[in-house]
Amino acid sequence: MTDDPQVPVVCPECGTETDVALSALAETLERHNENRHGGEECAQVDPDLAAELQDLVAEDMGLLD
């Protein structure tokens, strides 16, 4: 068992959703998009999670004050 957090990934083009280890995220997204979509960036981190993380980082940096 690993302590590597899992990140939700979605591909609206394929209609797929999966969880990917954080340490393999970039490679997995690149491989999927290259193999399935000719390099077009279709698969991505779940947009809801990405937005939440952006808000947390902005708040932490004091950008929302």
Side-chain angles (χ1 to χ4, degrees), residues 2-62:
T2 180
D3 291 334
D4 204 1
Q6 298 291 301
V7 179
V9 172
V10 297
C11 183
E13 190 70 24
C14 292
T16 57
E17 298 180 16
T18 191
D19 291 333
V20 176
L22 181 59
S23 63
L25 181 62
E27 179 182 329
T28 301
L29 288 173
E30 183 178 347
R31 184 177 58 243
H32 174 90
N33 287 327
E34 186 61 39
N35 292 338
R36 304 269 186 205
H37 307 294
E40 185 178 343
E41 294 184 12
C42 296
Q44 61 187 344
V45 171
D46 181 295
D48 292 334
L49 176 62
E52 187 175 331
L53 289 172
Q54 287 174 333
D55 290 346
L56 290 171
V57 169
E59 182 180 327
D60 191 51
M61 294 177 69

